[in-house]
């Protein structure tokens, strides 16, 4: 860094002992403060990351429930095996509430086992059109019925870590009639859809779970057990180009604020140009925040963008107060002392900024 350049080391040695002590104390204080800020923001991001991971794992892992002898619900039902195919999926748009999917579902069952013909529904979606397109009778008396369905789901988008977010798209399939004598059990899930924009598919699968509900009947407390199946896809938004694209003006804001400290390092002159650059960094930051808020739904929780904005504001304020202190050094001890202080603070803020964004990318 520039702090080790012989010219600026000479400037530092030319300053009085008192001013060298003040510069050293200011640099150490800035280093400690920036490490505390980076550590605190990183802990908040890790907490949100753990929460997101826990939510995803709760949706894609099998769960076991102990069934009592007098359990109501699933114990009296027969499974209907289902093979699901995702034919196409719309773009993940964090601004829109709906996500369009085109599905193929094949039900495999023996008709003589059921009082009525089995059918299904996507519980967490609105069906625009579901059509039986083909039936095939097997030699063992079983039947394969192929359905095509176009549905709109309202996914729970996990936006706090945008643009390093991981999105879970889940389809919950169940029997169309709750009082039926069967339940749907997924045996296979295939995805034939292409990648979604900036999101890369990292995992797909299905789970068959049993859930229990407390129920009071005839003055007795019991439990109702229900079986359901969930097919899921997990998409990752973390790639370096998408990451940089979404925070490009934040990086511009940091660059303007930090590099402004070098503006008067070669000559003594007015500091108005430096204040102008710092003011420009504020507008660049506000522009990026407005751009991101316009592309995603508003959320009440602290997001990654909020934490990045907090760090950027800290750097901008640091550049502002560095400029004020530099003017004081220039008046009291000359231009060379001010230059040495500017370069030292530039090194601290630039190194902290690089470290912060590398941590975000690697950790999240």
């Amino acid at each position: 860094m520039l702090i080790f350049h012989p010219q600026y080391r000479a400037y530092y040695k030319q300053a009085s002992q008192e001013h060298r002590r003040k510069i050293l104390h200011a640099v150490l204080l800035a280093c400690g403060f920036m490490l505390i800020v980076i550590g605190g923001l990183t802990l908040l991001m890790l907490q949100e990351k753990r929460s997101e991971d826990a939510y995803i794992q709760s949706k894609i892992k099998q769960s076991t429930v102990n069934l009592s002898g007098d359990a109501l619900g699933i114990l009296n039902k027969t499974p209907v095996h289902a093979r699901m195919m995702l034919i196409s999926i719309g773009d993940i748009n964090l601004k829109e509430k709906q996500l369009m999917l085109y599905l193929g579902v094949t039900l495999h069952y023996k008709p003589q086992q059921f009082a009525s013909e089995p059918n299904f529904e996507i519980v967490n979606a609105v069906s625009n059109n579901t059509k039986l397109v083909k039936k095939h009778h097997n030699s063992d008396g079983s039947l394969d019925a192929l359905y095509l369905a176009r549905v709109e789901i309202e996914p729970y988008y996990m936006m706090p870590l945008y643009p390093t977010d991981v999105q879970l798209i889940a389809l919950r399939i169940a029997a169309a009639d709750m009082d039926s004598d069967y339940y749907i059990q997924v045996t296979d899930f295939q995805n034939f859809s292409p990648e979604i924009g900036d999101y890369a598919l990292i995992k797909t699968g299905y789970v068959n779970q049993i859930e229990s509900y407390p129920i009071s009947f005839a003055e007795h407390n019991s439990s109702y057990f229900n079986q359901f199946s969930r097919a899921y896809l997990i998409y990752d938004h973390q790639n370096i180009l998408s990451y940089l694209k979404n925070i490009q003006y934040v990086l511009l804001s940091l660059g303007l604020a930090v590099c402004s400290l070098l503006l008067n390092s070669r000559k003594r002159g007015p500091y108005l140009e430096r204040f102008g650059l710092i003011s420009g960094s504020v507008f660049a930051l506000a522009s990026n925040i407005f751009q991101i808020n316009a592309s995603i739904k508003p959320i009440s929780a602290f997001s990654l963008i909020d934490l990045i904005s907090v760090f950027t504001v800290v750097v901008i304020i640091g550049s502002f107060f560095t400029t004020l202190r530099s003017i004081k050094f220039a008046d009291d001890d000359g231009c060379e002392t001010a230059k040495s202080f500017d370069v030292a603070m530039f090194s601290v803020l630039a190194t902290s900024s690089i470290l912060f964004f590398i941590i975000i990318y690697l950790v999240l």
Side-chain angles (χ1 to χ4, degrees):
M1 299 297 290
L2 287 176
I3 192 174
F4 299 110
H5 193 280
Q7 177 183 358
Y8 298 108
R9 292 175 62 186
Y11 288 159
Y12 177 77
K13 293 178 180 180
Q14 292 175 9
S16 63
Q17 184 176 0
E18 179 184 358
H19 286 116
R20 287 203 302 268
R21 180 179 58 81
K22 290 182 178 179
I23 292 175
L24 182 60
H25 286 175
V27 170
L28 293 177
L29 180 62
C31 287
F33 179 73
M34 294 306 296
L35 288 177
I36 293 174
V37 170
I38 293 174
L41 296 179
T42 301
L43 289 177
L44 291 176
M45 287 184 286
L46 287 175
Q47 182 179 357
E48 191 61 44
K49 178 66 173 179
R50 286 193 292 265
S51 176
E52 183 179 272
D53 291 340
Y55 176 81
I56 292 177
Q57 292 301 316
S58 69
K59 299 300 181 183
I60 67 176
K61 282 188 175 181
Q62 298 278 3
S63 62
T64 57
V65 175
N66 295 325
L67 300 177
S68 59
D70 59 345
L72 304 175
I74 188 175
L75 295 182
N76 300 320
K77 296 183 179 182
T78 304
V80 172
H81 295 161
R83 298 191 302 271
M84 299 183 64
M85 299 167 288
L86 179 59
I87 300 172
S88 66
I89 183 171
D91 290 336
I92 296 179
N93 187 343
L94 302 185
K95 191 69 174 178
E96 299 295 333
K97 294 183 178 180
Q98 303 294 333
L99 180 63
M100 180 71 71
L101 299 99
Y102 192 37
L103 301 170
V105 178
T106 300
L107 300 182
H108 178 81
Y109 59 93
K110 292 185 177 181
Q112 60 271 22
Q113 293 181 330
F114 307 101
S116 60
E117 185 174 5
N119 204 344
F120 71 93
E121 67 175 347
I122 306 299
V123 179
N124 61 330
V126 177
S127 177
N128 290 337
N129 186 17
T130 301
K131 183 179 180 181
L132 175 62
V133 296
K134 191 175 182 179
K135 285 186 175 182
H136 181 266
H137 294 272
N138 303 308
S139 58
D140 60 354
S142 63
L143 174 69
D144 288 324
L146 174 61
Y147 294 84
L148 294 181
R150 186 169 61 245
V151 300
E152 287 184 349
I153 67 173
E154 187 171 345
Y156 175 75
Y157 282 136
M158 288 168 282
M159 296 185 297
L161 294 182
Y162 177 87
T164 63
D165 53 306
V166 175
Q167 298 296 344
L168 171 68
I169 306 299
L171 294 168
R172 180 169 171 172
I173 185 172
D177 186 1
M178 292 183 61
D179 296 328
S180 63
D181 56 350
Y182 63 91
Y183 62 89
I184 304 296
Q185 185 177 49
V186 175
T187 59
D188 186 36
F189 176 58
Q190 298 179 1
N191 175 33
F192 298 106
S193 64
E195 301 296 331
I196 305 179
D198 293 330
Y199 288 87
L201 181 66
I202 59 174
K203 188 176 182 181
T204 183
Y206 63 91
V207 291
N208 295 297
Q209 296 179 323
I210 297 176
E211 56 188 8
S212 63
Y213 308 96
I215 186 171
S216 297
F217 178 72
E219 299 182 356
H220 295 284
N221 294 324
S222 184
S223 297
Y224 176 82
F225 294 89
N226 185 31
Q227 197 279 347
F228 71 93
S229 298
R230 180 188 294 112
Y232 63 85
L233 306 100
I234 300 177
Y235 289 92
D236 187 7
H237 195 192
Q238 188 170 12
N239 61 75
I240 187 64
L241 294 179
S242 176
Y243 174 60
L244 295 177
K245 180 182 68 176
N246 285 279
I247 61 170
Q248 55 185 323
Y249 290 108
V250 170
L251 298 178
L252 174 62
S253 176
L254 280 171
L256 289 175
V258 174
C259 291
S260 68
L261 301 182
L262 300 178
L263 187 61
N264 289 314
S265 62
R266 293 186 176 276
K267 64 177 182 179
R268 178 166 184 172
Y271 284 80
L272 294 179
E273 296 89 345
R274 184 185 294 187
F275 285 119
L277 283 179
I278 295 175
S279 300
S281 67
V282 175
F283 287 104
L285 175 62
S287 174
N288 208 159
I289 295 175
F290 178 81
Q291 174 191 3
I292 293 175
N293 289 338
S295 60
I296 63 175
K297 292 185 292 186
I299 56 176
S300 57
F302 274 108
S303 66
L304 175 60
I305 295 300
D306 295 329
L307 300 181
I308 291 177
S309 301
V310 168
F311 178 81
T312 306
V313 169
V314 169
V315 172
I316 293 174
I317 294 176
S319 299
F320 177 77
F321 281 104
T322 296
T323 301
L324 294 181
R325 192 67 182 90
S326 178
I327 294 175
K328 181 67 173 176
F329 275 126
D331 291 339
D332 293 346
D333 205 36
C335 177
E336 286 74 15
T337 302
K339 290 178 183 179
S340 179
F341 177 69
D342 288 340
V343 171
M345 293 302 296
F346 166 84
S347 300
V348 172
L349 296 180
T351 303
S352 301
S353 300
I354 294 172
L355 177 63
F356 177 72
F357 285 98
I358 290 177
I359 288 176
I360 292 176
Y361 182 73
L362 295 179
V363 172
L364 301 183

